[in-house]
Amino acid sequence: MAKDTKERILTAALDLFSHKGYEGTNIRELSASLGLVKSGIYKHYDSKEEIWNALLDKMIAYYGERFGSSEHLPPVPDSLEDFVSMTMRMVNLTIHDDQIVKTRKVLTLEQYRDDRARDLATKHFLTGLTEMFTHIFAGMMDKELLRRDDPAMLAFAYTTPISALIHLCDREPEKTEDAIRKIEAFSRHFLMVYGKGENKP
């Protein structure tokens, strides 16, 4: 029961932090959202800061298991079409998974207040993606799917516009379907430029 309550607290904290930010959320509000009194929260966590750090730990694990990261690398695709499919699976997960969307919003809000949130935002929005796709592109070059180039520069060029469109979906959800179409079109265009010969989609 205690473990379930701790998980419920973190889930409620993610919801509130993603809407109101860390500073805009207090323990009284968090406990009320769970039908608890403040002392019910403090049975499980000593402070709001402890809840915050436990939530970040949980978000890191959740994201890495489902999306991938430089520590949880996905397999290198066997074809260019597999690469497009992999990209779109990742995009659909990050746009539609409620916890990942809220995590992205929390990091966007808190990156200017909290050093750990800043570092995670940089990793999840930029460096981690670049490292992951550097590995993927190097592997695809070894499989003769892509022409030889600097895999790190290709990873940066590939992930940056996709990341920008994902953030657009957070700001303007009504543009989600169009953004997804643009991402797939961009992925195929990228492979037309860098794919090899008959492997091109």
Side-chain angles (χ1 to χ4, degrees):
M1 282 294 291
K3 184 176 180 181
D4 289 344
T5 302
K6 291 186 81 164
E7 285 297 310
R8 286 178 60 225
I9 291 168
L10 294 182
T11 298
L14 177 59
D15 188 51
L16 288 170
F17 291 163
S18 69
H19 285 93
K20 305 183 75 171
Y22 178 86
E23 296 291 352
T25 302
N26 59 51
I27 292 295
R28 184 180 293 106
E29 186 176 21
L30 177 58
S31 60
S33 74
L34 292 161
L36 300 171
V37 294
K38 283 175 66 175
S39 60
I41 298 282
Y42 290 124
K43 284 179 183 176
H44 302 282
Y45 295 99
D46 292 335
S47 64
K48 188 167 78 165
E49 186 69 20
E50 187 179 357
I51 293 170
W52 170 249
N53 282 306
L55 179 60
L56 291 183
D57 291 341
K58 180 184 176 185
M59 293 189 308
I60 291 166
Y62 186 91
Y63 190 87
E65 288 167 8
R66 286 158 180 78
F67 182 83
S69 68
S70 54
E71 295 84 17
H72 298 87
L73 292 168
V76 175
D78 291 321
S79 70
L80 296 185
E81 196 58 44
D82 285 347
F83 175 76
V84 174
S85 296
M86 180 195 75
T87 294
M88 298 316 296
R89 279 194 306 274
M90 295 168 89
V91 166
N92 277 293
L93 174 70
T94 196
I95 287 175
H96 296 298
D97 184 290
D98 192 49
Q99 286 196 60
I100 290 177
V101 171
K102 288 177 181 176
T103 296
R104 195 162 51 247
K105 289 180 179 178
V106 166
L107 294 179
T108 299
L109 287 170
E110 298 302 323
Q111 62 186 319
Y112 305 105
R113 179 196 68 83
D114 181 87
D115 288 347
R116 192 173 178 207
R118 177 202 63 199
D119 294 344
L120 286 173
T122 298
K123 180 176 181 179
H124 288 297
F125 304 160
L126 182 62
T127 58
L129 284 172
T130 301
E131 288 170 12
M132 184 163 47
F133 276 87
T134 296
H135 160 79
I136 291 167
F137 287 148
M140 291 176 72
M141 289 173 198
D142 290 341
K143 290 184 178 184
E144 298 290 322
L145 296 172
L146 295 180
R147 63 180 175 82
R148 284 283 167 191
D149 207 316
D150 181 339
M153 288 305 296
L154 287 190
F156 180 73
Y158 187 70
T159 58
T160 301
I162 293 175
S163 184
L165 285 167
I166 288 168
H167 282 277
L168 175 66
C169 296
D170 292 339
R171 290 191 304 274
E172 302 180 61
E174 69 277 8
K175 295 183 177 177
T176 296
E177 288 186 17
D178 184 56
I180 290 172
R181 283 194 295 270
K182 284 179 178 174
I183 290 169
E184 182 169 358
F186 168 70
S187 182
R188 294 186 181 281
H189 173 76
F190 184 91
L191 295 178
M192 286 298 297
V193 174
Y194 292 103
K196 291 194 69 174
E198 67 277 6
N199 294 315
K200 292 185 180 184

